[in-house]
Amino acid sequence: MKITTDNIDDFATGATVLGTGGGGDPYIGKLMAQQAIEEHGPVDLIDPRDVPDDALVIPSAMLGAPTVMVEKMPKGTEALAAFEALETHLGQEAYATMSIEAGGLNSTVPIAVAAALGIPLVDADGMGRAFPEVQMVTLTMGGVSATPMSIADEKGNSLLVNTVSNEYAEAFARVTSIEMGGACMIGTYALSGAEVREHAILDSMSLAHNIGEAIRTAKHRSRDPVEAVLDLTDGYELFTGKITDVERRTEGGFTVGEATLDGIDNCEGRRFTLEFQNENLVACDSERGVVASTPDLITVLDAETGDPVTTERLAYGHRVQVIGMPCSPKWRTDEGLDLVGPAYFDYSIDYEPLETLQQSKHD
Amino acid sequence: MTNYRIGIDVGGTNTDAVVMDGDDNLRAKTKTPTTKDITTGILSALDVVLDDSGVSEDELDYVMLGTTHATNAITERRGLNEVGVIRIGAPATRSIRPLLEWPDDLAEAIGNNVAILDGGHEFDGRLLNDLDEEQVRAQIREFADVDAFAVTSVFSPVRDDHETRVAELIREEVGDDVPISVSNEIGSVGLLERENATALNAALTSVASEAANAFVDAMDERGIGANLYFGQNDGTLMSVDYAIRYPIFTVASGPSNSVRGAAYLSQVENGIIVDVGGTTTDVGAVTEGFPRESSVAVEIGEVKTNFRMPDIIAIGIGGGSIVSTDGGVTVGPQSVGYKLTEEARCFGGETLTATDLEVAAGTIDIGSVTPDVGVETVEAAREYVRECVEREVDRMKTSADPVPVVIVGGGSILVPDDIGGASEVYKPDHYEVANAVGVAIAQVSGEVDRIYSLDEMDREEAIQHAKDEATENALAAGADADSVDIVDVEEVPLSYLPGNAVRIKVKAAGALDH
């Protein structure tokens, strides 16, 4: 399909749903994509199955502090230099770009990059959702290296980084982003078409689009937007309630907190807690204990409109529906859980798949 | 000490006026229809209250005016300036040009003149790029025909020198007559939203100066030599000169005036205010006597902005709301609006309105006809209104604890006294002119909203610095030095950034200097 200024809003809405409460402000990414498409024309979203085995795909992303990204937006051409540096290094031209995360800001930033470079965007990503750190991609498990990574700023500075692990790539990129004024663009995880098919999460961008479209059209046709999202994602309604308390604190650069909900409608009489670190990570029901946890997706939707609610906008009195969506099976392996399971985020719970937890509820 | 003051609030339907004495007692009040030229309505309201109170023109110390002219100008795209929108931040920020997401007709109404030039700073105050003064001058000359300039530079809430310098260059190039709005004086971090607010402000300066001149002329015509002030949207006042420079701050001053007035009339300093008008009900929160600010970007004329705005939810229920009895009784959001006296049944019209139900129930006595409405319809409508108001009151609360609820405005009768979640419900005397009272008792304030690096100064020092600056701003706005208090301090740590960056917002307010 073509990504145009007419359907970019749907991508952004769906990306916010897959952002599970975090992933940065998709508003900025959406506007960047909108302007780039206006200037350079629509972007081809291509099926990963159609990418030649040996074609070079270079995913692109913005990295840094959200406060900086909303104040100092990119120049828009940083990726050009970053791509050129990588292409020269690898001795091959980039066939396409790709999103590292299907959730939040970075789902739409590569659309702008694709438009500016005149290359297609592969319908896939490395998370199927949003996570805060560079190494937290299924590609890491597949042995795809985050480096050589190109890091570029608006001034024309660029670096090519080689590291021994993807964790080091995260660490160096983070430090560099500070020197570059708190935000930068990166080209990373250069991979072949064959590797995309084997290690990435496929069809996630069109899923984001379909979710956004479903929410928009459900509103117009007075259908339940939440049902529409659950249908598309094989998800479950976890809780319907009113937010009665939100606690937040800053720990190690993350906004860490917990929201408490009191049940309404069919959840009347029950209580629910949602723990988040930028993204929603653990959901507990007063009667049933943990009902969903990372890496499964937990998203809060406005009970009336179905619009996704990010963690920074959780506030007392908001009536919401919390939904759970199964993550990619790739995340449910031991390696996957080491990277992004509850223990990585310091929660002392054992991961159980969302579907299992839902089934035990009915036993 | 006489120290009489008049508060006037020009609303969409009514122009309200009150006379207050030096001890803030209400001496006279009136509600008159808002007129198309506004001034006529203001003068007739003024005449009524002066007559009723027996206060003479030369006993008036202050006249305060709350208006919606700026909001209307944006909504109707009327009388807006052509603006030169200059962003300083290149090579950064080029990926999203100014006004990109504005509705086309609004962007065209202000001329669609935009430029992104070299300069700006990083989050920690480092230079992002040098300001290129020749490039700036060339751009100003290219914008030769604009009526006003809006200047925004990257991270100007951290360092404003590039904005200040560009304003100087504009002065040198085009002289003193063209209004210049600089973003650090208007909005906070979030470049697009701050730039939008600054551009809207620049677009409004001519409308604002016309409104201000009309106000001044009207007072002259009545021989009133009092000090004149405008109400702004944080519930405080600004001088006429200030209102011409920062007209954007009058947007949503109406609901803010109501919140202040309701708090004063009920003596509730912390709680929820429900202002029931002709077409809508505004629900807001009062914190230490002032309207609580919205913490998220607020849209004005479909444009996202981030300058301080009151946290208000409007619902479509008011005295003119149309009552539907098809499959359950509902009230609003459709309304007969200002045509109440033609269309409502109690005035002989055809449409069943919320007002008709109260006339039928005998709680109010207006119009010429008593509508024939069953008691169960009245009860069902009241229940509907109660549920809607309860839900919005709950959304405005910050915790589950019951809070005082104050109900004001001309349509107060529609809202029952038993609101769930309220510790107590107040319907204070003079509830129908709470907004005019709010502007009459208003104070003047000063604000600061800046990012500090706590590596460079300690926390106490940073807060003190912000407090001092806010106090200075309040004094500059005309506050009496002995009465200035710090009314709000907010501290937000900024994540993912080194240097212990923290955003500090401080507001100081005080009585008008006599």
Side-chain angles (χ1 to χ4, degrees), chain B residues 254-271:
Chain B
S256 296
N257 292 337
S258 292
V259 169
R260 284 279 297 162
Y264 173 73
L265 291 171
S266 62
Q267 297 299 308
V268 169
E269 292 273 292
N270 294 285

Side-chain angles (χ1 to χ4, degrees), chain B residues 26-94:
Chain B
L26 188 142
R27 292 298 187 90
K29 60 182 173 184
T30 185
K31 261 183 133 54
T32 54
T34 295
T35 52
K36 202 168 177 197
D37 67 340
I38 291 176
T39 314
T40 311
I42 291 176
L43 286 174
S44 49
L46 192 69
D47 292 342
V48 173
V49 286
L50 283 177
D51 208 35
D52 286 357
S53 62
V55 171
S56 70
E57 283 80 355
D58 50 14
E59 286 178 290
L60 288 174
D61 281 357
Y62 298 103
V63 178
M64 289 91 166
L65 181 70
T67 84
T68 52
H69 66 270
T71 321
N72 296 345
I74 296 169
T75 326
E76 295 161 20
R77 284 90 165 104
R78 190 168 37 81
L80 298 176
N81 287 327
E82 190 168 325
V83 181
V85 181
I86 296 180
R87 183 196 295 168
I88 304 297
T93 79
R94 279 200 182 124

